[in-house]
Amino acid sequence: GMVTEEVEPGVLRVVSDGVRDLEALRGSWGNDGGVTIGADGTVWVHTANGRYFRVGSSPTRDLPKVFLDVEDANAQAFGADALYAGPSGQLWAKDAKSGRVNVWMQDEWLQRADLVIDSMAVDGSNEVWAASQWGLLHVVAEGETLIAWPDDPTQWVVPYTLDVSADGSAHVLSGPVATDPESGFLDTLLRYDGTRWIETPLPTPISVFFHGDGMAVGTDGTVWVAGDDHGDTDYMHHSLARLDGSEWTVFTGDDGVRPWGGKLGFVPEEMLSVSTDGSVWVDASNLDADSWADCDGVARFDGATWSQYLSGRCLFDIDFAPDGSAWALADGDDSPVEVYVITPRP
């Protein structure tokens, strides 16, 4: 079985997964590692140098590389969050060399679509959605369909993040897609319901500029977005926004949402994910006016209160198992990236 050690209440470091000593992989981690969990609970991990393995499988079952070696500068931008597991256990990946959709078929990776993509997601029917500069790509067993972005001469789409809700709708968080005489550029949430596009501008003054992982959809269809509220100062006040139906609720430091007394009331906002219980998890960075982000683990927000885990560590990726546990890749000041399991609490 899996061998773990507790590093803080509710947080376990995976020492061995039962068939391999994870210490042997310590040297191969990097900033672009990722963890993906299928609907059946199977945990897949990939490393920055292109190795994939299933937790609980022998090293000989590691999947061949689909990525270039991490030493190739062109590959480094494509590693994070690039492995996806469909509900039937099918594995999908974005090829760092070509930027295209690949699927694992028995013993090799096969390219599944021709377009270069920016981001992708797998829905509950094991179908793939991918965002490209030309439109939204829907990949099914019979082939693929390209859905053009909303056709408006005053708008353009910069797809930052893509997620699919339980009803099969594709949600795309876009950079500035419209100009407004009063508000200027407006970041927008685009939703494709299978027939038409629905555009919902982010609440002013939330901006998601440069934040590629700042949107996720919960199982109940609630959409969470993380962004920057520039407010009345030159510093960015990180905030969270929740969309229920057509109504936005914004949570900022000014509202008292200060998980650990961060200076200037910053709310953590990177790498946003929604758990099976509806809570939102974000990369926790303690920011101040005089420095860049200091890594401080991961923060969980249930809509009212914050919890913090993996204090002092840098978070690289997180995903949730069907039992509600969170699997994270993180490191410390003097340690490489390791696998952690945050167990659910009553």
mmCIF file of all heavy atoms in Angstrom, residues 7-27:
data_model
loop_
_atom_site.group_PDB
_atom_site.id
_atom_site.type_symbol
_atom_site.label_atom_id
_atom_site.label_comp_id
_atom_site.label_asym_id
_atom_site.label_seq_id
_atom_site.Cartn_x
_atom_site.Cartn_y
_atom_site.Cartn_z
ATOM 1 N N VAL A 7 3.077 15.504 7.853
ATOM 2 C CA VAL A 7 3.955 16.664 7.968
ATOM 3 C C VAL A 7 3.285 17.818 8.698
ATOM 4 O O VAL A 7 3.955 18.721 9.186
ATOM 5 C CB VAL A 7 4.435 17.130 6.580
ATOM 6 C CG1 VAL A 7 5.291 16.047 5.927
ATOM 7 C CG2 VAL A 7 3.261 17.483 5.674
ATOM 8 N N GLU A 8 1.969 17.798 8.743
ATOM 9 C CA GLU A 8 1.188 18.740 9.545
ATOM 10 C C GLU A 8 -0.213 18.154 9.641
ATOM 11 O O GLU A 8 -0.555 17.237 8.894
ATOM 12 C CB GLU A 8 1.183 20.131 8.917
ATOM 13 C CG GLU A 8 0.562 20.220 7.543
ATOM 14 C CD GLU A 8 0.693 21.608 6.922
ATOM 15 O OE1 GLU A 8 1.771 21.961 6.415
ATOM 16 O OE2 GLU A 8 -0.315 22.344 6.963
ATOM 17 N N PRO A 9 -1.024 18.614 10.571
ATOM 18 C CA PRO A 9 -2.357 18.008 10.730
ATOM 19 C C PRO A 9 -3.138 17.948 9.418
ATOM 20 O O PRO A 9 -3.332 18.960 8.747
ATOM 21 C CB PRO A 9 -3.037 18.941 11.741
ATOM 22 C CG PRO A 9 -1.913 19.492 12.555
ATOM 23 C CD PRO A 9 -0.773 19.673 11.570
ATOM 24 N N GLY A 10 -3.537 16.739 9.043
ATOM 25 C CA GLY A 10 -4.329 16.555 7.836
ATOM 26 C C GLY A 10 -3.538 16.486 6.553
ATOM 27 O O GLY A 10 -4.127 16.307 5.484
ATOM 28 N N VAL A 11 -2.205 16.624 6.625
ATOM 29 C CA VAL A 11 -1.382 16.632 5.421
ATOM 30 C C VAL A 11 -0.361 15.503 5.501
ATOM 31 O O VAL A 11 0.407 15.417 6.457
ATOM 32 C CB VAL A 11 -0.653 17.975 5.240
ATOM 33 C CG1 VAL A 11 0.195 17.947 3.967
ATOM 34 C CG2 VAL A 11 -1.655 19.116 5.173
ATOM 35 N N LEU A 12 -0.357 14.644 4.481
ATOM 36 C CA LEU A 12 0.545 13.504 4.442
ATOM 37 C C LEU A 12 1.491 13.640 3.257
ATOM 38 O O LEU A 12 1.065 13.966 2.148
ATOM 39 C CB LEU A 12 -0.248 12.206 4.299
ATOM 40 C CG LEU A 12 -1.344 11.950 5.335
ATOM 41 C CD1 LEU A 12 -2.144 10.722 4.956
ATOM 42 C CD2 LEU A 12 -0.741 11.802 6.729
ATOM 43 N N ARG A 13 2.780 13.383 3.484
ATOM 44 C CA ARG A 13 3.742 13.308 2.392
ATOM 45 C C ARG A 13 3.840 11.862 1.941
ATOM 46 O O ARG A 13 3.980 10.963 2.766
ATOM 47 C CB ARG A 13 5.120 13.796 2.835
ATOM 48 C CG ARG A 13 6.163 13.782 1.717
ATOM 49 C CD ARG A 13 7.480 14.402 2.178
ATOM 50 N NE ARG A 13 8.240 13.480 3.003
ATOM 51 C CZ ARG A 13 9.190 12.652 2.561
ATOM 52 N NH1 ARG A 13 9.466 12.623 1.253
ATOM 53 N NH2 ARG A 13 9.843 11.866 3.368
ATOM 54 N N VAL A 14 3.751 11.651 0.618
ATOM 55 C CA VAL A 14 3.836 10.292 0.094
ATOM 56 C C VAL A 14 5.307 9.892 0.001
ATOM 57 O O VAL A 14 6.075 10.492 -0.754
ATOM 58 C CB VAL A 14 3.167 10.186 -1.291
ATOM 59 C CG1 VAL A 14 3.282 8.763 -1.825
ATOM 60 C CG2 VAL A 14 1.699 10.598 -1.191
ATOM 61 N N VAL A 15 5.691 8.906 0.802
ATOM 62 C CA VAL A 15 7.068 8.414 0.808
ATOM 63 C C VAL A 15 7.233 7.322 -0.241
ATOM 64 O O VAL A 15 8.226 7.264 -0.958
ATOM 65 C CB VAL A 15 7.449 7.884 2.205
ATOM 66 C CG1 VAL A 15 8.875 7.345 2.206
ATOM 67 C CG2 VAL A 15 7.271 8.972 3.248
ATOM 68 N N SER A 16 6.252 6.435 -0.352
ATOM 69 C CA SER A 16 6.266 5.373 -1.346
ATOM 70 C C SER A 16 4.823 5.061 -1.710
ATOM 71 O O SER A 16 3.935 5.146 -0.869
ATOM 72 C CB SER A 16 6.950 4.120 -0.804
ATOM 73 O OG SER A 16 6.785 3.036 -1.705
ATOM 74 N N ASP A 17 4.593 4.721 -2.964
ATOM 75 C CA ASP A 17 3.224 4.400 -3.383
ATOM 76 C C ASP A 17 2.955 2.903 -3.371
ATOM 77 O O ASP A 17 1.968 2.436 -3.911
ATOM 78 C CB ASP A 17 2.916 4.988 -4.759
ATOM 79 C CG ASP A 17 3.753 4.367 -5.878
ATOM 80 O OD1 ASP A 17 4.433 3.367 -5.606
ATOM 81 O OD2 ASP A 17 3.715 4.859 -7.002
ATOM 82 N N GLY A 18 3.849 2.138 -2.750
ATOM 83 C CA GLY A 18 3.626 0.713 -2.623
ATOM 84 C C GLY A 18 4.490 -0.130 -3.531
ATOM 85 O O GLY A 18 4.845 -1.252 -3.198
ATOM 86 N N VAL A 19 4.846 0.398 -4.706
ATOM 87 C CA VAL A 19 5.693 -0.367 -5.619
ATOM 88 C C VAL A 19 6.949 0.396 -6.010
ATOM 89 O O VAL A 19 7.841 -0.139 -6.632
ATOM 90 C CB VAL A 19 4.931 -0.750 -6.908
ATOM 91 C CG1 VAL A 19 3.789 -1.681 -6.605
ATOM 92 C CG2 VAL A 19 4.437 0.499 -7.621
ATOM 93 N N ARG A 20 7.017 1.662 -5.633
ATOM 94 C CA ARG A 20 8.218 2.418 -5.970
ATOM 95 C C ARG A 20 8.556 3.350 -4.806
ATOM 96 O O ARG A 20 7.691 3.779 -4.050
ATOM 97 C CB ARG A 20 8.016 3.228 -7.253
ATOM 98 C CG ARG A 20 7.336 4.564 -7.020
ATOM 99 C CD ARG A 20 7.141 5.351 -8.297
ATOM 100 N NE ARG A 20 6.071 4.783 -9.079
ATOM 101 C CZ ARG A 20 6.139 4.578 -10.376
ATOM 102 N NH1 ARG A 20 7.212 4.875 -11.046
ATOM 103 N NH2 ARG A 20 5.128 4.060 -11.027
ATOM 104 N N ASP A 21 9.821 3.656 -4.675
ATOM 105 C CA ASP A 21 10.259 4.633 -3.695
ATOM 106 C C ASP A 21 10.264 5.986 -4.395
ATOM 107 O O ASP A 21 11.037 6.222 -5.312
ATOM 108 C CB ASP A 21 11.651 4.276 -3.186
ATOM 109 C CG ASP A 21 12.147 5.245 -2.131
ATOM 110 O OD1 ASP A 21 11.410 6.191 -1.801
ATOM 111 O OD2 ASP A 21 13.277 5.059 -1.659
ATOM 112 N N LEU A 22 9.385 6.895 -3.966
ATOM 113 C CA LEU A 22 9.294 8.184 -4.639
ATOM 114 C C LEU A 22 10.555 9.020 -4.460
ATOM 115 O O LEU A 22 10.758 10.001 -5.172
ATOM 116 C CB LEU A 22 8.072 8.954 -4.133
ATOM 117 C CG LEU A 22 6.724 8.342 -4.523
ATOM 118 C CD1 LEU A 22 5.581 9.221 -4.046
ATOM 119 C CD2 LEU A 22 6.626 8.122 -6.016
ATOM 120 N N GLU A 23 11.399 8.641 -3.487
ATOM 121 C CA GLU A 23 12.663 9.351 -3.336
ATOM 122 C C GLU A 23 13.483 9.246 -4.626
ATOM 123 O O GLU A 23 14.258 10.131 -4.945
ATOM 124 C CB GLU A 23 13.447 8.757 -2.169
ATOM 125 C CG GLU A 23 12.806 8.966 -0.797
ATOM 126 C CD GLU A 23 12.886 10.412 -0.354
ATOM 127 O OE1 GLU A 23 13.834 11.098 -0.774
ATOM 128 O OE2 GLU A 23 11.998 10.856 0.403
ATOM 129 N N ALA A 24 13.304 8.144 -5.365
ATOM 130 C CA ALA A 24 14.071 7.955 -6.588
ATOM 131 C C ALA A 24 13.683 8.956 -7.670
ATOM 132 O O ALA A 24 14.419 9.149 -8.632
ATOM 133 C CB ALA A 24 13.884 6.537 -7.108
ATOM 134 N N LEU A 25 12.533 9.588 -7.523
ATOM 135 C CA LEU A 25 12.061 10.555 -8.511
ATOM 136 C C LEU A 25 12.344 11.993 -8.110
ATOM 137 O O LEU A 25 12.035 12.918 -8.848
ATOM 138 C CB LEU A 25 10.553 10.388 -8.736
ATOM 139 C CG LEU A 25 10.116 9.063 -9.355
ATOM 140 C CD1 LEU A 25 8.601 8.982 -9.358
ATOM 141 C CD2 LEU A 25 10.653 8.916 -10.759
ATOM 142 N N ARG A 26 12.925 12.173 -6.932
ATOM 143 C CA ARG A 26 13.095 13.533 -6.411
ATOM 144 C C ARG A 26 13.896 14.412 -7.353
ATOM 145 O O ARG A 26 13.624 15.581 -7.510
ATOM 146 C CB ARG A 26 13.755 13.488 -5.040
ATOM 147 C CG ARG A 26 12.852 12.991 -3.940
ATOM 148 C CD ARG A 26 13.652 12.593 -2.709
ATOM 149 N NE ARG A 26 14.315 13.734 -2.104
ATOM 150 C CZ ARG A 26 13.836 14.433 -1.079
ATOM 151 N NH1 ARG A 26 12.672 14.104 -0.550
ATOM 152 N NH2 ARG A 26 14.489 15.434 -0.566
ATOM 153 N N GLY A 27 14.876 13.842 -8.009
ATOM 154 C CA GLY A 27 15.710 14.670 -8.868
ATOM 155 C C GLY A 27 15.068 15.048 -10.181
ATOM 156 O O GLY A 27 15.587 15.895 -10.890
#
